[in-house]
Amino acid sequence: TPKYKNVLVTSLLDIGRDKIDNRNFSQHYIDGFSKITNIDCPMVIFTTQNLASTVYKLRGTRPTLVRVLEDSYLLNYRHYEKVKNITSTETWINQSEWIKNSILTSPEYITLTHSKIDFLNIASTQNLFLGNYYFWLDAGIVSSFKLQNKFTTLVEKVIPNKEYHSFSFPYTPPYNEVHGYSREGYIEV
């Protein structure tokens, strides 16, 4: 018998983004994460040991499971070296003018993006909260949106009732760019 209808999954990792595009970790990610901590759903958060106490403090008494990752998790990720090789090429860096000084040149960022589906899979497979549905809610993206008040409506009225659903921007052919990546670069990654 399910204990919870919905379980949120996210990560909170400092990948040194401030050194690449000046995005301050505390201002963007900790503040963004704090905006979703009051959502009344259990949460599984993948983070490092040095951020675990911050996660627990922000979540308070709400059901929370922290999965502590080694600081070197992204560097040891199974596809990290391949991603690093791709993102360091001139072809990758020059595929769009704005990419040169953006986070898309960071193999850690790309690897973290690819890790999210793994985190969601781990949380849903272990199912320690006995949830019906597991949702990825990005800790960084909510800095730009006021999702905390709309989450219940989003889940109950917008998301189709099926095993897997992913919101995406509708890139329809013919297209040359997907979120800054050239079509070829996007397919390669």
Side-chain angles (χ1 to χ4, degrees):
T1 304
K3 186 172 182 179
Y4 294 97
K5 182 176 180 183
N6 304 312
V7 178
L8 299 178
V9 182
T10 194
S11 66
L12 191 61
L13 300 172
D14 186 352
I15 60 169
R17 185 167 181 165
D18 58 325
K19 295 176 186 107
I20 297 170
D21 66 1
N22 298 317
R23 184 166 289 178
N24 181 279
F25 180 76
S26 292
Q27 288 177 347
H28 187 79
Y29 293 98
I30 299 290
D31 289 353
F33 178 71
S34 72
K35 292 176 183 175
I36 63 172
T37 57
N38 64 351
I39 296 174
D40 196 23
C41 288
M43 287 184 82
V44 179
I45 300 109
F46 291 82
T47 191
T48 50
Q49 186 64 50
N50 65 318
L51 294 170
S53 61
T54 300
V55 168
Y56 282 120
K57 181 180 176 184
L58 290 170
R59 283 290 290 165
T61 59
R62 292 173 191 87
T64 304
L65 177 61
V66 170
R67 304 306 257 167
V68 175
L69 303 170
E70 294 294 323
D71 291 339
S72 60
Y73 172 82
L74 295 174
L75 301 177
N76 295 321
Y77 189 75
R78 66 185 177 273
H79 300 298
Y80 178 80
E81 286 302 318
K82 183 174 182 178
V83 169
K84 184 177 176 183
N85 289 337
I86 292 168
T87 58
S88 65
T89 65
E90 289 298 316
T91 303
W92 179 267
I93 295 167
N94 292 314
Q95 63 184 308
S96 289
E97 184 61 35
W98 66 271
I99 287 181
K100 292 177 186 175
N101 297 313
S102 81
I103 194 64
L104 294 181
T105 61
S106 166
E108 291 80 10
Y109 178 81
I110 304 297
T111 301
L112 177 57
T113 300
H114 286 257
S115 297
K116 293 173 185 180
I117 197 75
D118 291 342
F119 296 154
L120 190 57
N121 183 53
I122 290 166
S124 64
T125 301
Q126 292 178 346
N127 199 14
L128 297 176
F129 285 120
L130 303 176
N132 274 352
Y133 301 101
Y134 282 76
F135 298 92
W136 180 267
L137 187 56
D138 198 84
I141 202 162
V142 298
S143 289
S144 304
F145 303 97
K146 295 180 181 177
L147 297 177
Q148 69 270 27
N149 297 326
K150 299 176 185 174
F151 181 75
T152 302
T153 301
L154 179 72
V155 169
E156 293 177 358
K157 296 182 179 172
V158 178
I159 297 176
N161 203 2
K162 58 184 180 180
E163 287 188 31
Y164 180 81
H165 181 81
S166 178
F167 288 104
S168 62
F169 185 83
Y171 291 100
T172 53
Y175 56 87
N176 295 324
E177 185 179 293
V178 177
H179 189 63
Y181 301 99
S182 70
R183 183 177 183 278
E184 291 77 21
Y186 181 78
I187 290 169
E188 185 177 7
V189 167

CSV table of all heavy atoms in Angstrom, one decimal, residues 79-120:
chain,number,residue,atom,x,y,z
A,79,HIS,N,30.4,8.1,-17.6
A,79,HIS,CA,30.5,8.8,-18.9
A,79,HIS,C,31.3,10.1,-18.8
A,79,HIS,O,31.4,10.8,-19.7
A,79,HIS,CB,29.2,9.1,-19.5
A,79,HIS,CG,28.4,7.8,-19.7
A,79,HIS,ND1,28.8,6.8,-20.6
A,79,HIS,CD2,27.2,7.5,-19.2
A,79,HIS,CE1,27.9,5.9,-20.6
A,79,HIS,NE2,26.9,6.2,-19.8
A,80,TYR,N,31.9,10.4,-17.6
A,80,TYR,CA,32.5,11.6,-17.4
A,80,TYR,C,33.7,11.9,-18.4
A,80,TYR,O,33.7,13.0,-19.0
A,80,TYR,CB,33.1,11.8,-16.0
A,80,TYR,CG,33.8,13.1,-15.8
A,80,TYR,CD1,33.1,14.3,-15.5
A,80,TYR,CD2,35.2,13.2,-15.8
A,80,TYR,CE1,33.7,15.5,-15.4
A,80,TYR,CE2,35.8,14.4,-15.7
A,80,TYR,CZ,35.1,15.5,-15.4
A,80,TYR,OH,35.7,16.7,-15.3
A,81,GLU,N,34.6,10.9,-18.6
A,81,GLU,CA,35.7,11.2,-19.5
A,81,GLU,C,35.2,11.4,-20.9
A,81,GLU,O,35.8,12.3,-21.6
A,81,GLU,CB,36.7,10.0,-19.5
A,81,GLU,CG,37.5,10.0,-18.2
A,81,GLU,CD,38.3,11.2,-18.0
A,81,GLU,OE1,38.9,11.7,-18.9
A,81,GLU,OE2,38.4,11.7,-16.8
A,82,LYS,N,34.2,10.7,-21.4
A,82,LYS,CA,33.7,10.9,-22.7
A,82,LYS,C,33.1,12.3,-22.8
A,82,LYS,O,33.3,13.1,-23.8
A,82,LYS,CB,32.6,9.9,-23.1
A,82,LYS,CG,32.1,10.0,-24.5
A,82,LYS,CD,31.2,8.9,-24.9
A,82,LYS,CE,30.8,9.1,-26.4
A,82,LYS,NZ,30.0,8.1,-26.9
A,83,VAL,N,32.3,12.7,-21.8
A,83,VAL,CA,31.7,14.1,-21.8
A,83,VAL,C,32.8,15.1,-21.8
A,83,VAL,O,32.8,16.1,-22.5
A,83,VAL,CB,30.8,14.2,-20.6
A,83,VAL,CG1,30.4,15.7,-20.4
A,83,VAL,CG2,29.5,13.4,-20.8
A,84,LYS,N,33.9,14.9,-21.0
A,84,LYS,CA,35.0,15.9,-20.9
A,84,LYS,C,35.7,16.0,-22.3
A,84,LYS,O,36.0,17.1,-22.7
A,84,LYS,CB,36.0,15.4,-19.9
A,84,LYS,CG,37.1,16.3,-19.6
A,84,LYS,CD,38.0,15.8,-18.5
A,84,LYS,CE,39.2,16.7,-18.3
A,84,LYS,NZ,40.1,16.2,-17.3
A,85,ASN,N,35.9,14.9,-23.0
A,85,ASN,CA,36.5,14.9,-24.3
A,85,ASN,C,35.6,15.7,-25.3
A,85,ASN,O,36.1,16.5,-26.1
A,85,ASN,CB,36.8,13.5,-24.8
A,85,ASN,CG,37.9,12.8,-24.0
A,85,ASN,OD1,38.7,13.5,-23.4
A,85,ASN,ND2,37.9,11.5,-24.1
A,86,ILE,N,34.3,15.5,-25.2
A,86,ILE,CA,33.4,16.2,-26.2
A,86,ILE,C,33.4,17.7,-25.9
A,86,ILE,O,33.5,18.5,-26.8
A,86,ILE,CB,32.0,15.6,-26.1
A,86,ILE,CG1,32.0,14.2,-26.7
A,86,ILE,CG2,31.0,16.5,-26.8
A,86,ILE,CD1,30.7,13.4,-26.4
A,87,THR,N,33.2,18.0,-24.6
A,87,THR,CA,33.0,19.4,-24.2
A,87,THR,C,34.3,20.3,-24.3
A,87,THR,O,34.2,21.5,-24.2
A,87,THR,CB,32.4,19.6,-22.8
A,87,THR,OG1,33.3,19.0,-21.9
A,87,THR,CG2,31.0,19.0,-22.8
A,88,SER,N,35.4,19.6,-24.5
A,88,SER,CA,36.7,20.4,-24.6
A,88,SER,C,37.1,20.6,-26.0
A,88,SER,O,38.1,21.3,-26.3
A,88,SER,CB,37.8,19.7,-23.8
A,88,SER,OG,38.1,18.4,-24.4
A,89,THR,N,36.4,20.1,-27.0
A,89,THR,CA,36.8,20.3,-28.4
A,89,THR,C,36.4,21.7,-28.9
A,89,THR,O,35.4,22.3,-28.4
A,89,THR,CB,36.1,19.2,-29.3
A,89,THR,OG1,34.7,19.5,-29.3
A,89,THR,CG2,36.4,17.8,-28.9
A,90,GLU,N,37.1,22.2,-29.9
A,90,GLU,CA,36.8,23.5,-30.5
A,90,GLU,C,35.4,23.4,-31.1
A,90,GLU,O,34.7,24.4,-31.1
A,90,GLU,CB,37.9,23.8,-31.5
A,90,GLU,CG,39.2,24.2,-30.9
A,90,GLU,CD,39.1,25.4,-30.0
A,90,GLU,OE1,38.5,26.4,-30.4
A,90,GLU,OE2,39.7,25.4,-28.9
A,91,THR,N,35.1,22.3,-31.7
A,91,THR,CA,33.8,22.1,-32.4
A,91,THR,C,32.7,22.4,-31.4
A,91,THR,O,31.7,23.1,-31.6
A,91,THR,CB,33.6,20.7,-33.0
A,91,THR,OG1,34.7,20.5,-33.9
A,91,THR,CG2,32.3,20.6,-33.7
A,92,TRP,N,32.8,21.8,-30.2
A,92,TRP,CA,31.8,21.9,-29.1
A,92,TRP,C,31.7,23.4,-28.7
A,92,TRP,O,30.7,24.0,-28.6
A,92,TRP,CB,32.1,21.0,-28.0
A,92,TRP,CG,31.1,21.1,-26.8
A,92,TRP,CD1,31.2,22.0,-25.7
A,92,TRP,CD2,29.9,20.5,-26.7
A,92,TRP,NE1,30.1,21.8,-24.9
A,92,TRP,CE2,29.3,20.9,-25.5
A,92,TRP,CE3,29.2,19.6,-27.5
A,92,TRP,CZ2,28.0,20.5,-25.1
A,92,TRP,CZ3,27.9,19.1,-27.1
A,92,TRP,CH2,27.4,19.6,-25.9
A,93,ILE,N,32.9,23.9,-28.3
A,93,ILE,CA,33.0,25.2,-27.7
A,93,ILE,C,32.5,26.3,-28.7
A,93,ILE,O,31.8,27.3,-28.3
A,93,ILE,CB,34.4,25.5,-27.3
A,93,ILE,CG1,34.8,24.6,-26.1
A,93,ILE,CG2,34.6,27.0,-26.9
A,93,ILE,CD1,36.2,24.6,-25.8
A,94,ASN,N,32.7,26.1,-30.0
A,94,ASN,CA,32.3,27.1,-31.0
A,94,ASN,C,31.0,26.9,-31.7
A,94,ASN,O,30.7,27.5,-32.7
A,94,ASN,CB,33.4,27.2,-32.0
A,94,ASN,CG,34.7,27.8,-31.4
A,94,ASN,OD1,34.7,28.8,-30.7
A,94,ASN,ND2,35.8,27.1,-31.7
A,95,GLN,N,30.2,25.9,-31.2
A,95,GLN,CA,29.0,25.6,-31.9
A,95,GLN,C,27.9,26.7,-31.8
A,95,GLN,O,27.1,26.9,-32.7
A,95,GLN,CB,28.4,24.3,-31.5
A,95,GLN,CG,28.0,24.2,-30.0
A,95,GLN,CD,27.5,22.9,-29.6
A,95,GLN,OE1,26.6,22.3,-30.2
A,95,GLN,NE2,28.1,22.3,-28.6
A,96,SER,N,28.0,27.5,-30.8
A,96,SER,CA,27.2,28.7,-30.6
A,96,SER,C,28.0,29.8,-29.9
A,96,SER,O,28.8,29.4,-29.0
A,96,SER,CB,25.9,28.5,-29.8
A,96,SER,OG,25.0,27.7,-30.5
A,97,GLU,N,27.9,31.0,-30.3
A,97,GLU,CA,28.8,32.1,-29.8
A,97,GLU,C,28.7,32.2,-28.3
A,97,GLU,O,29.7,32.3,-27.6
A,97,GLU,CB,28.4,33.4,-30.4
A,97,GLU,CG,29.3,34.6,-30.0
A,97,GLU,CD,30.8,34.4,-30.4
A,97,GLU,OE1,31.0,33.8,-31.5
A,97,GLU,OE2,31.6,34.8,-29.6
A,98,TRP,N,27.5,32.0,-27.7
A,98,TRP,CA,27.4,32.2,-26.3
A,98,TRP,C,27.9,31.0,-25.4
A,98,TRP,O,28.1,31.2,-24.2
A,98,TRP,CB,25.9,32.5,-25.9
A,98,TRP,CG,25.0,31.4,-26.2
A,98,TRP,CD1,24.3,31.2,-27.3
A,98,TRP,CD2,24.6,30.4,-25.3
A,98,TRP,NE1,23.5,30.0,-27.2
A,98,TRP,CE2,23.7,29.5,-25.9
A,98,TRP,CE3,24.9,30.1,-23.9
A,98,TRP,CZ2,23.1,28.4,-25.3
A,98,TRP,CZ3,24.3,28.9,-23.4
A,98,TRP,CH2,23.5,28.1,-24.1
A,99,ILE,N,28.1,29.9,-26.1
A,99,ILE,CA,28.6,28.7,-25.3
A,99,ILE,C,30.0,28.9,-24.8
A,99,ILE,O,30.3,28.4,-23.7
A,99,ILE,CB,28.5,27.4,-26.2
A,99,ILE,CG1,27.0,27.0,-26.3
A,99,ILE,CG2,29.3,26.3,-25.6
A,99,ILE,CD1,26.8,25.8,-27.1
A,100,LYS,N,30.8,29.7,-25.5
A,100,LYS,CA,32.2,29.8,-25.1
A,100,LYS,C,32.4,30.2,-23.6
A,100,LYS,O,33.4,29.7,-23.0
A,100,LYS,CB,32.9,30.9,-26.0
A,100,LYS,CG,33.0,30.5,-27.4
A,100,LYS,CD,33.6,31.6,-28.3
A,100,LYS,CE,33.6,31.2,-29.7
A,100,LYS,NZ,34.0,32.2,-30.6
A,101,ASN,N,31.6,31.0,-23.1
A,101,ASN,CA,31.7,31.4,-21.7
A,101,ASN,C,30.6,31.0,-20.8
A,101,ASN,O,30.2,31.6,-19.9
A,101,ASN,CB,31.9,33.0,-21.6
A,101,ASN,CG,33.1,33.4,-22.3
A,101,ASN,OD1,34.2,32.9,-22.1
A,101,ASN,ND2,32.9,34.4,-23.2
A,102,SER,N,30.0,29.8,-21.2
A,102,SER,CA,28.8,29.4,-20.5
A,102,SER,C,29.1,28.1,-19.8
A,102,SER,O,30.1,27.4,-20.0
A,102,SER,CB,27.6,29.1,-21.5
A,102,SER,OG,27.8,27.9,-22.1
A,103,ILE,N,28.2,27.7,-19.0
A,103,ILE,CA,28.3,26.4,-18.2
A,103,ILE,C,28.3,25.2,-19.1
A,103,ILE,O,28.7,24.1,-18.7
A,103,ILE,CB,27.2,26.4,-17.1
A,103,ILE,CG1,27.5,25.3,-16.1
A,103,ILE,CG2,25.8,26.1,-17.8
A,103,ILE,CD1,28.7,25.5,-15.3
A,104,LEU,N,27.8,25.3,-20.3
A,104,LEU,CA,27.8,24.2,-21.3
A,104,LEU,C,29.2,23.7,-21.7
A,104,LEU,O,29.4,22.7,-22.3
A,104,LEU,CB,27.0,24.5,-22.5
A,104,LEU,CG,25.5,24.7,-22.2
A,104,LEU,CD1,24.8,25.0,-23.5
A,104,LEU,CD2,24.9,23.6,-21.5
A,105,THR,N,30.3,24.5,-21.2
A,105,THR,CA,31.6,24.0,-21.5
A,105,THR,C,32.1,23.2,-20.3
A,105,THR,O,33.3,22.7,-20.3
A,105,THR,CB,32.6,25.2,-21.7
A,105,THR,OG1,32.6,26.0,-20.6
A,105,THR,CG2,32.2,26.0,-22.9
A,106,SER,N,31.3,23.0,-19.3
A,106,SER,CA,31.7,22.3,-18.1
A,106,SER,C,31.3,20.8,-18.1
A,106,SER,O,30.1,20.5,-18.2
A,106,SER,CB,31.1,22.9,-16.8
A,106,SER,OG,31.2,22.1,-15.7
A,107,PRO,N,32.3,19.9,-18.1
A,107,PRO,CA,31.9,18.5,-18.1
A,107,PRO,C,31.2,18.1,-16.9
A,107,PRO,O,30.3,17.2,-16.9
A,107,PRO,CB,33.2,17.8,-18.3
A,107,PRO,CG,34.3,18.7,-17.9
A,107,PRO,CD,33.7,20.1,-18.2
A,108,GLU,N,31.4,18.8,-15.8
A,108,GLU,CA,30.7,18.5,-14.5
A,108,GLU,C,29.2,18.9,-14.7
A,108,GLU,O,28.4,18.1,-14.2
A,108,GLU,CB,31.3,19.3,-13.3
A,108,GLU,CG,32.7,18.8,-12.9
A,108,GLU,CD,33.8,19.3,-13.8
A,108,GLU,OE1,33.6,20.2,-14.6
A,108,GLU,OE2,35.0,18.8,-13.7
A,109,TYR,N,28.9,20.0,-15.3
A,109,TYR,CA,27.5,20.4,-15.5
A,109,TYR,C,26.8,19.4,-16.4
A,109,TYR,O,25.7,18.9,-16.1
A,109,TYR,CB,27.5,21.8,-16.1
A,109,TYR,CG,26.1,22.3,-16.4
A,109,TYR,CD1,25.3,22.8,-15.4
A,109,TYR,CD2,25.5,22.2,-17.7
A,109,TYR,CE1,24.0,23.2,-15.6
A,109,TYR,CE2,24.2,22.6,-17.9
A,109,TYR,CZ,23.5,23.1,-16.9
A,109,TYR,OH,22.2,23.5,-17.1
A,110,ILE,N,27.4,19.1,-17.5
A,110,ILE,CA,26.8,18.1,-18.4
A,110,ILE,C,26.6,16.7,-17.8
A,110,ILE,O,25.6,16.1,-17.9
A,110,ILE,CB,27.6,18.0,-19.7
A,110,ILE,CG1,27.9,19.3,-20.4
A,110,ILE,CG2,27.0,17.0,-20.7
A,110,ILE,CD1,26.6,20.0,-20.9
A,111,THR,N,27.6,16.3,-17.0
A,111,THR,CA,27.5,15.0,-16.3
A,111,THR,C,26.4,15.1,-15.3
A,111,THR,O,25.7,14.1,-15.1
A,111,THR,CB,28.9,14.7,-15.7
A,111,THR,OG1,29.9,14.6,-16.7
A,111,THR,CG2,28.8,13.3,-15.0
A,112,LEU,N,26.3,16.2,-14.5
A,112,LEU,CA,25.3,16.3,-13.5
A,112,LEU,C,23.9,16.3,-14.2
A,112,LEU,O,23.0,15.6,-13.7
A,112,LEU,CB,25.4,17.6,-12.8
A,112,LEU,CG,24.3,17.9,-11.7
A,112,LEU,CD1,24.2,16.8,-10.7
A,112,LEU,CD2,24.6,19.3,-11.1
A,113,THR,N,23.8,16.9,-15.3
A,113,THR,CA,22.5,16.9,-16.1
A,113,THR,C,22.1,15.4,-16.5
A,113,THR,O,21.0,15.0,-16.3
A,113,THR,CB,22.6,17.7,-17.3
A,113,THR,OG1,22.9,19.1,-16.9
A,113,THR,CG2,21.3,17.7,-18.1
A,114,HIS,N,23.1,14.7,-16.9
A,114,HIS,CA,22.9,13.3,-17.3
A,114,HIS,C,22.6,12.4,-16.0
A,114,HIS,O,22.0,11.4,-16.1
A,114,HIS,CB,24.1,12.7,-18.1
A,114,HIS,CG,24.1,13.2,-19.5
A,114,HIS,ND1,23.7,12.4,-20.5
A,114,HIS,CD2,24.5,14.4,-20.0
A,114,HIS,CE1,23.8,13.1,-21.6
A,114,HIS,NE2,24.3,14.3,-21.3
A,115,SER,N,23.1,12.8,-14.9
A,115,SER,CA,23.0,12.0,-13.6
A,115,SER,C,21.6,12.1,-13.1
A,115,SER,O,21.2,11.2,-12.3
A,115,SER,CB,23.9,12.5,-12.6
A,115,SER,OG,25.3,12.3,-13.0
A,116,LYS,N,20.8,13.1,-13.4
A,116,LYS,CA,19.5,13.3,-12.8
A,116,LYS,C,18.6,12.1,-13.1
A,116,LYS,O,17.8,11.7,-12.2
A,116,LYS,CB,18.9,14.6,-13.4
A,116,LYS,CG,19.6,15.8,-12.9
A,116,LYS,CD,19.1,17.1,-13.6
A,116,LYS,CE,20.0,18.3,-13.2
A,116,LYS,NZ,19.5,19.5,-13.8
A,117,ILE,N,18.6,11.6,-14.2
A,117,ILE,CA,17.7,10.4,-14.5
A,117,ILE,C,18.2,9.2,-13.7
A,117,ILE,O,17.4,8.4,-13.2
A,117,ILE,CB,17.7,10.1,-16.0
A,117,ILE,CG1,16.5,9.2,-16.3
A,117,ILE,CG2,18.9,9.4,-16.5
A,117,ILE,CD1,15.2,9.9,-16.3
A,118,ASP,N,19.5,9.1,-13.4
A,118,ASP,CA,20.0,8.0,-12.5
A,118,ASP,C,19.5,8.2,-11.1
A,118,ASP,O,19.1,7.3,-10.4
A,118,ASP,CB,21.5,8.0,-12.5
A,118,ASP,CG,22.1,7.5,-13.8
A,118,ASP,OD1,21.4,6.9,-14.6
A,118,ASP,OD2,23.3,7.8,-14.1
A,119,PHE,N,19.6,9.5,-10.6
A,119,PHE,CA,19.1,9.8,-9.3
A,119,PHE,C,17.6,9.4,-9.1
A,119,PHE,O,17.2,8.9,-8.1
A,119,PHE,CB,19.3,11.2,-8.9
A,119,PHE,CG,20.8,11.7,-8.9
A,119,PHE,CD1,21.1,13.0,-9.1
A,119,PHE,CD2,21.8,10.8,-8.6
A,119,PHE,CE1,22.5,13.4,-9.0
A,119,PHE,CE2,23.1,11.2,-8.5
A,119,PHE,CZ,23.5,12.5,-8.7
A,120,LEU,N,16.8,9.8,-10.1
A,120,LEU,CA,15.4,9.6,-10.1
A,120,LEU,C,15.2,8.0,-10.1
A,120,LEU,O,14.3,7.5,-9.4
A,120,LEU,CB,14.7,10.2,-11.3
A,120,LEU,CG,13.2,10.3,-11.4
A,120,LEU,CD1,12.6,10.9,-10.1
A,120,LEU,CD2,12.8,11.0,-12.6
